[in-house]
Amino acid sequence: MCGIFCLLSLSPARRVRDEALHEHLRRRGPDSSGDLTFGGTNPYYQCLFSTHVLHMRGLLTPQPVQDNAGNVLVWNGEIFGGLTVRPEENDTAVVSQRLSSCDSPSQILSVLSAARGPWGFAYYQKAGDYLWFGRDFFGRRSLLWNFDAEVGALTLTSVASRGSGPAPCAWQEVPASGVYRIDLKAAADAGSLTFEVYPWARGGSDLASSFGPATSEPVPGGCSAVMNRSGLVLAAPVCPLNTSVPESLSAGEVPPDSRRCAEDLQQLLSSKEKDDEASRLVAVLSEAVRRRVQSLPCAFRPSGELASVAVLFSGGIDSMVLAALADRHIPARQPIDLLNVAFRLQAPKKQKESAKKHGKDKNKATDSTTEGADPRTFSPFDVPDRITGRAGLKELRELNPERRWNFVEINVAKEELQKIRQERICHLVHPLDTVLDDSIGCAVWFAARGRGFVVEDGERRPFTSSAKVVLTGIGADEQLAGYSRHRVRFTKSGHEGLIQELKMELDRIPSRNLGRDDRVIGDHGKEARFPYLDEDVVSHLNALPVWEKADLSLPRGVGEKLLLRLAAKRMGFGQSAVLPKRAMQFGSRIAKMEDHYEKASDKCTRLLTD
């Protein structure tokens, strides 16, 4: 994982380097930094590439990478399949080598289409003076852009600083709808930028016809985008979504056994068909996790005392499954960190009065991390995710008592939240700006930092996670109908409506979640990895009819994400397999710290800087 930066200037006027932006990039990649500048004189253009590398696999490869032909690559990504990367190799070097052998746009698209995993990149192709850039199919790595029309400068960067750039709100996320190419000589002659778009073929269809000569791409002001003249597209890395509906049920019809309850998961597994479906999901998810937790440069520490992998952990089914699958592929002597975040609750009024009445010690049990505390005493960090997290920890210990599970209790007070939000998080969340982005961005930032406490043998001690890989469960709800809006859509429009909703979820996940989460987690010099969005996992789930993935005629805690619940039950889980979905902002209780009357989609004034 890296912080990448590219500044393309079409005039000799120089933009002053933004030191705050540079610092954000440096935190993403603490292991190596480098700059490279080149350009043309007639016509004039100049490119500055700057990269900060987080070393994750193979030999440390400093960036920018310049090959013998003069091509330059900055790469923020991981290759988990499609292109061969041997354990001792670094994927940046492999991608650079493969791109350097390309003589045509179709060959470059072939390399990018084959790469399985998250990536964002910028690539100078000397032959022809072209600048390529873009993000992977799902947009799992952040890439932002803006254009300063006064000096004719385009900036591409993994992360920005709020208020930097030609205008306070000029930054936009590069759409994950394809990759882009700039003809540098043509741009320098014209003094303006036109992006040639090479779109992803989504849903198994060729998108070239839908773009036409001009596109509706949300490009920076002062720029334009056109479909490439050859009509070339990137091959989709996943199969199309199965849109079939059950013949026996009309839209909205409820089957007679809709009163089933959670205990029936085990009964469903008694069906060979259901058991086989659950087994296949476990297998494909297990392989996705394996690819993300092995071959790490720090994975085999002699002492075995420090973890290489952490899980954003609420005790819910998504994170429980990831933790259990990671346990299968990480050496037995190595710990796994479970990162559980809680935001301080206010003591209920009655309890405050009771405490005063009985003259209780103010310092007694205000910390929920102390096991064995009096249950009648208010614990301000006993939020729902802390309670389910502890229950999940117990189940994991029962599954593998030999593993050292570091349950990291990360407690956040309002004062620290407000301070860090203004210093760091508001810049990382930007250009997103809603109440929901604030809540999720803050919760993920503190969780990924991994600074809290663990309780061992009844004693509480400070603890900071050493893990550089952070597994997150994003993508499970979007594919398996885990949100309440999916149940509403099913009730109104049946399976057809639910299918449309699920398709929309995957289409918009780059702009709603993934860029933001990558920026927030990367700020700690750690890498977010998304097993539920592995291309093989998505293809597996896309191929299934919707009623095998979810049955929203069943109660909450059973029907949504039904297939994943069956898989969890098959893996040996108990109560965690039937926990209803609870959004992170409510489970961690960060939403309770702020204005209760806000809507998730409202603009968040707390993200504004002075």
Side-chain angles (χ1 to χ4, degrees), residues 151-178:
V151 297
L154 173 74
T155 304
L156 303 168
T157 180
S158 295
V159 61
S161 175
R162 187 180 182 92
S164 65
C169 298
W171 293 105
Q172 297 173 285
E173 291 187 324
V174 175
S177 52

Side-chain angles (χ1 to χ4, degrees), residues 242-247 249 273-274 277 495 498-499 544-552 559 562-563:
N242 187 326
T243 58
S244 59
V245 296
E247 296 179 1
L249 294 176
E273 181 182 4
K274 290 293 185 184
E277 290 172 4
H495 287 94
L498 178 59
I499 291 167
L544 297 175
V546 68
W547 64 87
E548 290 185 8
K549 296 182 282 190
D551 184 351
L552 299 186
L562 175 62
L563 181 57

Side-chain angles (χ1 to χ4, degrees), residues 80-82 116-117 138 140 237-239 280-281 283-285 287-288 291-292 479 531-543:
F80 295 126
R116 300 290 184 265
F138 295 115
R140 289 164 288 187
V238 298
C239 73
R280 286 191 290 270
L281 179 59
V284 72
L285 261 177
E287 176 59 17
R291 288 193 283 256
R292 286 159 175 78
Q479 297 179 81
Y532 289 106
L533 291 173
D534 178 89
E535 286 84 352
D536 290 343
V537 173
V538 176
S539 284
H540 177 78
L541 293 175
N542 275 0

Side-chain angles (χ1 to χ4, degrees), residues 113 116 137 199-205 233-240 535 539:
S113 296
R116 300 290 184 265
F137 185 81
W200 290 102
R202 295 185 181 270
S205 62
V233 298
L234 291 138
V238 298
C239 73
E535 286 84 352
S539 284

Side-chain angles (χ1 to χ4, degrees), residues 331-446:
R333 65 183 180 277
Q334 189 177 122
I336 295 175
D337 292 346
L338 307 174
L339 309 179
N340 183 274
V341 65
F343 292 82
R344 183 189 294 272
L345 294 170
Q346 296 299 316
K349 189 175 181 180
K350 289 183 179 179
Q351 289 190 353
K352 287 181 180 178
E353 293 173 352
S354 176
K356 290 180 180 179
K357 182 177 180 180
H358 294 91
K360 292 186 176 180
D361 185 351
K362 291 182 180 179
N363 296 322
K364 184 179 179 181
T366 57
D367 181 1
S368 67
T369 60
T370 304
E371 292 183 351
D374 185 348
R376 295 169 298 178
T377 304
F378 174 71
S379 298
F381 295 109
D382 268 348
V383 302
D385 279 0
R386 178 62 48 80
I387 295 168
T388 56
R390 287 179 180 148
L393 172 66
K394 183 179 179 182
E395 288 194 34
L396 290 172
R397 284 175 171 167
E398 290 171 353
L399 287 177
N400 186 357
E402 302 302 318
R403 171 76 65 187
R404 181 176 171 186
W405 301 96
N406 290 323
F407 183 69
V408 189
E409 302 190 2
I410 299 159
N411 299 334
V412 186
K414 190 170 185 177
E415 296 75 18
E416 185 181 19
L417 169 64
Q418 292 173 336
K419 178 177 182 291
I420 297 297
R421 176 193 281 125
Q422 287 301 304
E423 290 179 356
R424 304 270 281 274
I425 299 172
C426 69
H427 301 290
L428 302 169
V429 170
H430 186 71
L432 305 186
D433 59 2
T434 68
V435 169
L436 181 63
D437 292 316
D438 172 55
S439 296
I440 299 296
C442 290
V444 171
W445 190 92
F446 280 102

Side-chain angles (χ1 to χ4, degrees), residues 33-253:
S33 298
D35 296 334
L36 181 63
T37 302
F38 60 89
T41 57
N42 187 21
Y44 178 89
Y45 69 85
Q46 184 181 84
C47 282
L48 164 64
F49 285 111
S50 181
T51 311
H52 303 266
V53 177
L54 175 68
H55 179 215
M56 298 300 293
R57 68 194 300 183
L59 298 174
L60 174 62
T61 301
Q63 295 193 48
V65 175
Q66 186 171 29
D67 65 20
N68 293 333
N71 304 307
V72 180
L73 173 68
V74 290
W75 174 262
N76 173 29
E78 295 285 347
I79 303 299
F80 295 126
L83 302 177
T84 300
V85 182
R86 294 189 295 271
E88 70 277 10
E89 290 183 315
N90 181 273
D91 56 351
T92 305
V94 170
V95 172
S96 175
Q97 183 180 21
R98 292 293 297 269
L99 290 176
S100 68
S101 66
C102 296
D103 297 321
S104 66
S106 62
Q107 290 176 333
I108 287 182
L109 298 186
S110 179
V111 172
L112 296 174
S113 296
R116 300 290 184 265
W119 48 262
F121 82 107
Y123 179 65
Y124 170 64
Q125 187 182 19
K126 188 171 183 179
D129 282 283
Y130 295 118
L131 179 67
W132 295 80
F133 60 94
R135 302 162 71 192
D136 71 83
F137 185 81
F138 295 115
R140 289 164 288 187
R141 288 291 173 260
S142 171
L143 190 63
L144 308 178
W145 60 6
N146 73 34
F147 182 67
D148 186 341
E150 287 189 13
V151 297
L154 173 74
T155 304
L156 303 168
T157 180
S158 295
V159 61
S161 175
R162 187 180 182 92
S164 65
C169 298
W171 293 105
Q172 297 173 285
E173 291 187 324
V174 175
S177 52
V179 298
Y180 303 82
R181 188 179 79 161
I182 300 172
D183 184 326
L184 295 175
K185 288 183 178 179
D189 278 335
S192 61
L193 287 181
T194 298
F195 308 124
E196 281 187 286
V197 183
Y198 295 80
W200 290 102
R202 295 185 181 270
S205 62
D206 188 330
L207 292 187
S209 60
S210 67
F211 274 78
T215 80
S216 58
E217 291 288 281
V219 300
C223 303
S224 61
V226 297
M227 178 66 190
N228 71 88
R229 287 175 290 181
S230 301
L232 296 173
V233 298
L234 291 138
V238 298
C239 73
L241 182 67
N242 187 326
T243 58
S244 59
V245 296
E247 296 179 1
S248 59
L249 294 176
S250 61
E253 182 180 342

